[in-house]
Coordinates of all heavy atoms in Angstrom, one line a residue:
M1 N 0.8 -1.2 0.1 CA 0.0 -0.1 0.0 C 0.8 1.3 0.0 O 1.1 1.9 1.0 CB -0.9 -0.1 1.2 CG -2.0 1.0 1.2 SD -3.6 0.5 1.9 CE -3.4 1.0 3.5
E2 N 1.3 1.6 -1.2 CA 2.3 2.6 -1.3 C 1.6 4.0 -1.3 O 1.9 5.0 -0.9 CB 3.2 2.5 -2.5 CG 4.2 1.4 -2.3 CD 4.5 0.6 -3.5 OE1 4.2 1.1 -4.6 OE2 4.9 -0.6 -3.4
N3 N 0.5 4.0 -2.1 CA -0.3 5.1 -2.3 C -1.5 5.4 -1.4 O -2.4 4.6 -1.6 CB -0.7 5.4 -3.8 CG -1.4 6.7 -4.2 OD1 -1.3 7.6 -3.3 ND2 -1.9 6.9 -5.4
V4 N -1.3 6.0 -0.3 CA -2.3 6.0 0.7 C -3.5 6.7 0.4 O -4.5 6.8 0.9 CB -1.7 6.5 2.1 CG1 -0.7 5.5 2.6 CG2 -1.2 7.9 2.0
R5 N -3.3 7.6 -0.7 CA -4.5 8.5 -1.2 C -5.4 7.9 -2.2 O -6.4 8.4 -2.5 CB -4.1 9.8 -1.7 CG -3.4 10.7 -0.5 CD -3.1 12.1 -1.0 NE -2.8 12.9 0.1 CZ -3.7 13.6 0.8 NH1 -5.0 13.6 0.6 NH2 -3.3 14.4 1.7
D6 N -5.0 6.7 -2.7 CA -5.7 5.9 -3.6 C -7.0 5.2 -2.9 O -6.8 4.4 -2.3 CB -4.9 4.9 -4.4 CG -5.6 4.4 -5.5 OD1 -6.7 4.8 -5.9 OD2 -5.1 3.5 -6.3
P7 N -8.2 5.8 -3.4 CA -9.3 5.1 -2.7 C -9.6 3.7 -3.1 O -10.4 2.9 -2.4 CB -10.5 6.0 -3.1 CG -10.1 6.7 -4.3 CD -8.5 6.8 -4.3
R8 N -9.1 3.3 -4.2 CA -9.3 1.9 -4.6 C -8.6 0.8 -3.7 O -9.0 -0.2 -3.6 CB -8.8 1.7 -6.0 CG -9.7 2.4 -7.1 CD -9.0 2.4 -8.4 NE -7.7 3.1 -8.4 CZ -6.9 3.2 -9.3 NH1 -7.3 2.7 -10.6 NH2 -5.7 3.9 -9.3
E9 N -7.5 1.3 -2.9 CA -6.9 0.5 -2.0 C -7.5 0.4 -0.6 O -7.0 -0.4 0.2 CB -5.4 0.9 -1.9 CG -4.7 0.8 -3.3 CD -3.3 1.2 -3.1 OE1 -2.8 1.4 -2.0 OE2 -2.6 1.3 -4.1
H10 N -8.4 1.2 -0.4 CA -9.0 1.3 0.9 C -10.5 0.8 0.8 O -11.5 1.6 0.8 CB -9.2 2.7 1.4 CG -7.8 3.3 1.6 ND1 -7.0 3.1 2.8 CD2 -7.1 4.1 0.9 CE1 -5.8 3.8 2.7 NE2 -5.9 4.3 1.6
F11 N -10.6 -0.6 0.7 CA -12.0 -1.2 0.6 C -12.5 -1.3 2.0 O -11.8 -1.3 3.0 CB -11.9 -2.5 0.0 CG -11.0 -3.5 0.6 CD1 -11.3 -4.3 1.6 CD2 -9.6 -3.6 0.1 CE1 -10.5 -5.3 2.1 CE2 -8.7 -4.4 0.7 CZ -9.1 -5.2 1.7
N12 N -13.8 -1.3 2.2 CA -14.5 -1.3 3.4 C -14.3 -2.7 4.1 O -15.0 -3.7 3.7 CB -15.9 -1.0 3.3 CG -16.6 -0.6 4.6 OD1 -15.9 -0.7 5.7 ND2 -17.9 -0.4 4.6
E13 N -13.2 -2.9 5.0 CA -13.0 -4.2 5.6 C -14.2 -4.6 6.5 O -14.5 -5.8 6.6 CB -11.7 -4.2 6.3 CG -10.5 -3.9 5.4 CD -9.3 -3.8 6.2 OE1 -9.2 -4.1 7.3 OE2 -8.3 -3.5 5.5
E14 N -14.7 -3.8 7.2 CA -15.7 -4.0 8.3 C -16.9 -3.1 8.1 O -16.7 -1.9 8.3 CB -15.2 -3.8 9.6 CG -16.1 -4.1 10.7 CD -15.6 -3.8 12.1 OE1 -14.4 -3.6 12.3 OE2 -16.4 -3.6 13.0
P15 N -18.0 -3.5 7.5 CA -19.2 -2.7 7.3 C -19.7 -2.2 8.6 O -19.9 -2.8 9.5 CB -20.2 -3.5 6.5 CG -19.7 -4.9 6.9 CD -18.4 -4.9 7.0
R16 N -20.0 -0.9 8.6 CA -20.4 -0.2 9.8 C -21.9 0.2 9.6 O -22.3 0.6 8.6 CB -19.6 1.0 10.2 CG -18.2 0.6 10.2 CD -17.4 1.8 11.1 NE -15.9 1.5 11.0 CZ -15.3 0.7 11.8 NH1 -15.9 0.0 12.6 NH2 -14.0 0.5 11.7
H17 N -22.7 0.0 10.7 CA -24.0 0.4 10.6 C -24.3 1.6 11.7 O -24.6 1.3 12.8 CB -25.0 -0.8 10.9 CG -24.8 -1.9 10.1 ND1 -25.2 -1.9 8.7 CD2 -24.2 -3.1 10.2 CE1 -24.9 -2.9 8.1 NE2 -24.2 -3.8 9.0
D18 N -24.0 2.7 11.1 CA -23.9 3.9 12.1 C -25.4 4.0 12.8 O -25.3 4.4 14.0 CB -23.7 5.1 11.4 CG -22.2 5.1 10.8 OD1 -21.3 4.4 11.4 OD2 -21.9 5.8 9.8
L19 N -26.4 3.9 12.1 CA -27.7 4.2 12.8 C -28.0 3.1 13.9 O -28.5 3.5 14.9 CB -28.7 4.1 11.6 CG -30.3 4.3 12.3 CD1 -30.3 5.7 12.9 CD2 -31.3 4.1 11.1
M20 N -27.7 1.9 13.6 CA -27.8 0.8 14.6 C -26.9 1.1 15.8 O -27.3 0.8 16.9 CB -27.6 -0.5 14.0 CG -28.7 -0.9 13.1 SD -30.4 -0.8 13.7 CE -30.4 -2.0 15.0
D21 N -25.8 1.6 15.6 CA -24.8 2.0 16.6 C -25.4 3.0 17.5 O -25.3 3.0 18.7 CB -23.4 2.4 16.2 CG -22.6 1.2 15.5 OD1 -22.9 0.1 15.8 OD2 -21.7 1.5 14.7
V22 N -26.0 4.0 16.9 CA -26.5 5.1 17.6 C -27.8 4.5 18.5 O -28.0 4.9 19.6 CB -27.0 6.2 16.7 CG1 -27.8 7.4 17.5 CG2 -25.7 6.9 16.2
V23 N -28.7 3.7 17.8 CA -29.8 3.1 18.5 C -29.4 2.4 19.7 O -30.0 2.6 20.8 CB -30.7 2.4 17.4 CG1 -31.7 1.6 18.2 CG2 -31.3 3.4 16.5
F24 N -28.5 1.5 19.5 CA -28.0 0.7 20.7 C -27.3 1.5 21.7 O -27.5 1.2 22.9 CB -26.9 -0.5 20.1 CG -27.8 -1.6 19.4 CD1 -27.2 -2.1 18.2 CD2 -28.9 -2.2 19.9 CE1 -27.9 -3.0 17.6 CE2 -29.6 -3.1 19.2 CZ -29.0 -3.6 18.1
G25 N -26.4 2.4 21.3 CA -25.8 3.4 22.4 C -26.9 4.1 23.1 O -26.8 4.2 24.4
F26 N -27.9 4.7 22.4 CA -29.0 5.5 23.1 C -29.7 4.6 24.0 O -30.0 4.9 25.1 CB -29.8 6.2 22.0 CG -30.7 7.1 22.7 CD1 -30.5 8.3 23.0 CD2 -32.2 6.7 22.9 CE1 -31.4 9.2 23.6 CE2 -33.1 7.5 23.4 CZ -32.7 8.7 23.8
G27 N -30.2 3.4 23.4 CA -31.0 2.5 24.2 C -30.2 2.0 25.5 O -30.8 1.8 26.7
G28 N -29.0 1.7 25.2 CA -28.2 1.1 26.3 C -28.1 2.3 27.5 O -28.2 2.0 28.7
M29 N -27.7 3.5 27.1 CA -27.5 4.5 28.0 C -28.9 4.8 28.7 O -28.9 5.1 29.9 CB -26.9 5.8 27.3 CG -26.5 6.7 28.2 SD -25.0 6.0 29.3 CE -24.7 7.5 30.2
L30 N -30.0 4.8 28.0 CA -31.3 5.0 28.5 C -31.6 4.0 29.6 O -32.0 4.2 30.7 CB -32.3 5.1 27.4 CG -33.8 5.3 27.9 CD1 -33.9 6.8 28.6 CD2 -34.8 5.2 26.9
G31 N -31.4 2.7 29.3 CA -31.6 1.6 30.2 C -30.7 1.8 31.5 O -31.2 1.6 32.5
F32 N -29.5 2.0 31.3 CA -28.6 2.3 32.4 C -29.0 3.4 33.3 O -29.1 3.2 34.5 CB -27.0 2.5 31.9 CG -26.2 2.8 33.0 CD1 -25.7 1.8 33.8 CD2 -25.6 4.1 33.1 CE1 -24.9 2.1 34.9 CE2 -24.8 4.3 34.2 CZ -24.3 3.4 35.0
M33 N -29.4 4.5 32.7 CA -29.9 5.6 33.5 C -31.1 5.4 34.2 O -31.3 5.8 35.4 CB -29.9 6.9 32.7 CG -28.6 7.5 32.2 SD -27.7 8.0 33.7 CE -26.1 8.1 33.1
T34 N -32.0 4.5 33.5 CA -33.3 4.2 34.2 C -33.0 3.3 35.4 O -33.7 3.5 36.5 CB -34.2 3.4 33.2 OG1 -34.4 4.3 32.0 CG2 -35.5 3.1 33.8
L35 N -32.1 2.4 35.3 CA -31.6 1.5 36.4 C -31.1 2.4 37.5 O -31.3 2.1 38.7 CB -30.6 0.5 35.9 CG -30.1 -0.5 36.8 CD1 -31.3 -1.4 37.3 CD2 -28.9 -1.3 36.3
V36 N -30.2 3.3 37.2 CA -29.6 4.2 38.3 C -30.7 5.0 39.0 O -30.8 5.2 40.1 CB -28.5 5.1 37.6 CG1 -28.2 6.2 38.6 CG2 -27.3 4.3 37.2
F37 N -31.7 5.5 38.1 CA -32.8 6.2 38.8 C -33.6 5.4 39.7 O -34.0 5.7 40.9 CB -33.6 6.8 37.6 CG -34.9 7.5 38.1 CD1 -34.9 8.7 38.8 CD2 -36.1 6.9 38.1 CE1 -35.9 9.4 39.3 CE2 -37.3 7.5 38.5 CZ -37.2 8.7 39.2
A38 N -33.9 4.1 39.3 CA -34.7 3.2 40.2 C -34.0 2.8 41.4 O -34.6 2.9 42.5 CB -35.0 1.9 39.3
V39 N -32.7 2.6 41.4 CA -31.9 2.4 42.5 C -31.9 3.6 43.5 O -32.0 3.5 44.7 CB -30.5 2.0 42.1 CG1 -29.6 1.9 43.4 CG2 -30.4 0.5 41.5
A40 N -31.7 4.9 42.9 CA -31.6 6.0 43.7 C -33.0 6.2 44.4 O -33.1 6.5 45.6 CB -31.4 7.2 42.8
V41 N -34.2 5.8 43.7 CA -35.5 6.1 44.3 C -35.7 5.0 45.5 O -36.1 5.3 46.5 CB -36.6 5.8 43.3 CG1 -37.9 5.7 44.0 CG2 -36.6 7.1 42.3
I42 N -35.1 3.8 45.3 CA -35.2 2.8 46.3 C -34.4 3.0 47.4 O -34.9 2.9 48.6 CB -34.9 1.4 45.6 CG1 -36.0 1.0 44.7 CG2 -34.7 0.3 46.8 CD1 -35.5 -0.3 43.8
V43 N -33.2 3.5 47.2 CA -32.4 3.9 48.3 C -33.0 5.1 49.1 O -32.9 5.2 50.3 CB -30.9 4.5 47.8 CG1 -30.1 5.1 48.9 CG2 -30.2 3.1 47.3
K44 N -33.5 6.1 48.4 CA -34.3 7.2 49.2 C -35.4 6.8 50.0 O -35.5 7.2 51.1 CB -34.8 8.2 48.1 CG -35.3 9.4 48.8 CD -35.8 10.5 47.8 CE -36.2 11.7 48.3 NZ -37.0 11.6 49.5
F45 N -36.1 5.8 49.6 CA -37.3 5.2 50.3 C -36.7 4.5 51.6 O -37.3 4.6 52.6 CB -38.1 4.3 49.5 CG -39.2 5.0 48.7 CD1 -39.4 4.8 47.5 CD2 -40.0 6.1 49.4 CE1 -40.4 5.5 46.7 CE2 -41.0 6.7 48.7 CZ -41.3 6.5 47.3
V46 N -35.6 3.7 51.4 CA -35.1 3.1 52.5 C -34.5 3.9 53.6 O -34.7 3.7 54.7 CB -34.0 2.0 52.0 CG1 -33.1 1.4 53.2 CG2 -34.6 0.9 51.1
I47 N -33.9 5.0 53.1 CA -33.4 5.9 54.1 C -34.4 6.8 54.9 O -34.2 6.9 56.1 CB -32.4 7.0 53.4 CG1 -31.1 6.3 52.8 CG2 -32.0 8.1 54.2 CD1 -30.2 7.1 52.0
S48 N -35.4 7.1 54.2 CA -36.4 8.0 54.8 C -37.5 7.1 55.5 O -37.6 6.0 55.6 CB -37.0 9.0 53.9 OG -37.7 8.3 52.9

């Protein structure tokens, strides 16, 4: 690979699905934050 600017030499080795990555990232973070919120509510009820 001598000519690094030649686009013919840079084939897509690993197809990426950007929308699915965003959906899984958003869903995972939403689930994690929901879990944190539920634990915080339970701890608040136990303390008070």
Side-chain angles (χ1 to χ4, degrees):
M1 190 144 88
E2 292 147 16
N3 188 4
V4 295
R5 294 191 168 268
D6 189 1
R8 291 172 296 180
E9 295 182 11
H10 296 280
F11 54 92
N12 193 4
E13 296 176 7
E14 178 184 343
R16 304 197 188 282
H17 303 287
D18 293 335
L19 180 61
M20 289 309 293
D21 288 342
V22 170
V23 167
F24 285 135
F26 186 82
M29 196 64 184
L30 180 66
F32 176 71
M33 287 298 163
T34 303
L35 182 67
V36 169
F37 174 74
V39 169
V41 168
I42 291 170
V43 167
K44 184 177 183 320
F45 275 133
V46 168
I47 288 175
S48 61

